[in-house]
């Protein structure tokens, strides 16, 4: 086990079991193996895979400590979806739906779920096709999927109800927020990323389209 990796994970989580750490380390190895065959993440980030992707994803877990039903949009290589699925094994009755339209990436996600007996379901389809299939979750996540206004369009059927969005954004996030306010009203909490001081997790709730006729 890598003690430095475990310590960094503990920095962003209130508690984490040894089994969970081992699972995440094994997931890192699985991700690297599959990345040799299919493009799961930018090659330039693989040298910092633990920090840039795994720890960055794990920080979302404690932001919704009572949430049981999670939904990850555009799950790609499993960030944050598979990382959260592994962490959710510690939370009785919890689970996460992963929506990913790319067949090869969906196959990787299913392999990871099976490997770690994680409480997750993969939906290999477009996000708009999943609107009628997935019940309103407690939390919606998305990472490197679309600008904020685009995320709102994709998540609207769920987010306009009682869900909370936890959307990871980089240093240009303020422009995305302002552009989104042209068409949407929403409550927003900005959380500084535990991984990158120039990045944030945007906590969004009470999403509503603005009446453009006014």
């Amino acid at each position: 086990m890598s003690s430095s990796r475990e310590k960094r994970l503990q920095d962003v989580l209130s508690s984490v079991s040894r089994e969970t750490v081992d699972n995440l380390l094994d997931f890192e190895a699985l991700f690297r193996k599959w990345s040799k065959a299919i493009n799961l993440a930018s090659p330039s980030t693989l040298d910092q895979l633990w920090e840039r992707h795994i720890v960055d994803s794990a920080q979302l877990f404690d932001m919704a400590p009572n949430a049981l039903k999670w939904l990850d949009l555009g799950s790609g290589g499993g960030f944050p979806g598979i990382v959260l699925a592994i962490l959710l094994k510690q939370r009785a009755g919890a689970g996460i739906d992963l929506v990913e339209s790319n067949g090869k990436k969906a196959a990787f996600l299913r392999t990871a779920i099976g490997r770690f007996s994680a409480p997750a379901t993969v939906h290999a389809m477009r996000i708009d096709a999943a609107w009628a299939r997935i019940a309103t979750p407690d939390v919606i996540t998305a990472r490197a999927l679309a600008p904020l206004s685009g995320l709102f369009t994709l998540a609207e059927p769920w987010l306009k109800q009682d869900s909370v969005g936890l959307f990871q954004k980089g240093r240009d996030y303020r422009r995305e927020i302002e552009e989104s306010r042209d068409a949407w009203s929403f409550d927003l909490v900005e959380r500084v990323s535990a991984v990158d001081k120039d990045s944030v997790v945007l906590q969004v709730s009470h999403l509503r389209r603005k009446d453009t006729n006014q």
Side-chain angles (χ1 to χ4, degrees), residues 8-24:
R8 190 66 187 97
L9 192 64
Q10 290 171 339
D11 288 342
V12 303
L13 294 173
S14 58
S15 64
V16 59
S17 69
R18 179 57 59 87
E19 178 186 3
T20 298
V21 175
D22 288 344
N23 281 176
L24 290 172

Side-chain angles (χ1 to χ4, degrees), residues 47-66:
D47 287 344
Q48 297 178 300
L49 181 60
W50 187 263
E51 181 80 5
R52 289 278 299 274
H53 295 298
I54 294 177
V55 175
D56 186 46
S57 297
Q59 68 176 316
L60 302 181
F61 184 68
D62 279 352
M63 293 184 184
N66 299 314

Side-chain angles (χ1 to χ4, degrees), residues 148 152 173 177 181 186-190 201-205:
L148 192 60
F152 288 167
Y173 73 94
I177 292 172
R181 294 194 187 279
F186 50 92
D187 293 342
L188 177 68
V189 177
E190 298 179 19
V201 177
L202 299 180
Q203 179 179 312
V204 177
S205 58

Side-chain angles (χ1 to χ4, degrees), residues 18-37:
R18 179 57 59 87
E19 178 186 3
T20 298
V21 175
D22 288 344
N23 281 176
L24 290 172
L25 287 167
D26 288 345
F27 174 64
E28 180 186 22
L30 181 69
F31 184 94
R32 290 185 184 278
K33 179 179 178 180
W34 275 66
S35 290
K36 295 176 182 178

Side-chain angles (χ1 to χ4, degrees), residues 29-207:
L30 181 69
F31 184 94
R32 290 185 184 278
K33 179 179 178 180
W34 275 66
S35 290
K36 295 176 182 178
I38 63 175
N39 182 26
L40 293 175
S42 172
S44 64
T45 67
L46 292 181
D47 287 344
Q48 297 178 300
L49 181 60
W50 187 263
E51 181 80 5
R52 289 278 299 274
H53 295 298
I54 294 177
V55 175
D56 186 46
S57 297
Q59 68 176 316
L60 302 181
F61 184 68
D62 279 352
M63 293 184 184
N66 299 314
L68 296 180
K69 295 171 60 179
W70 294 65
L71 169 61
D72 185 44
L73 302 179
S75 298
F79 306 116
I82 293 296
V83 174
L84 289 170
I86 290 171
L87 290 166
L88 287 168
K89 291 170 65 177
Q90 303 177 115
R91 193 174 291 176
I96 185 168
D97 288 291
L98 312 179
V99 182
E100 174 52 53
S101 62
N102 182 286
K104 291 182 179 179
K105 292 179 180 179
F108 168 72
L109 296 172
R110 291 192 179 101
T111 298
I113 290 168
R115 173 75 65 87
F116 303 109
S117 300
T121 301
V122 177
H123 304 267
M125 62 183 64
R126 291 171 53 88
I127 293 170
D128 55 4
W131 289 341
R133 293 173 177 261
I134 300 175
T136 301
D138 299 318
V139 178
I140 302 169
T141 61
R143 184 174 183 265
L145 176 62
L148 192 60
S149 59
L151 284 179
F152 288 167
T153 299
L154 293 170
E156 180 186 12
W158 300 290
L159 196 51
K160 70 181 182 182
Q161 300 184 56
D162 294 326
S163 295
V164 172
L166 293 177
F167 302 133
Q168 291 156 289
K169 288 294 178 181
R171 62 185 61 194
D172 201 29
Y173 73 94
R174 293 192 184 279
R175 178 185 59 79
E176 291 190 33
I177 292 172
E178 292 309 310
E179 290 178 351
S180 298
R181 294 194 187 279
D182 291 339
W184 303 92
S185 63
F186 50 92
D187 293 342
L188 177 68
V189 177
E190 298 179 19
R191 296 172 174 262
V192 177
S193 170
V195 172
D196 181 357
K197 63 180 179 60
D198 293 323
S199 298
V200 295
V201 177
L202 299 180
Q203 179 179 312
V204 177
S205 58
H206 302 112
L207 180 72

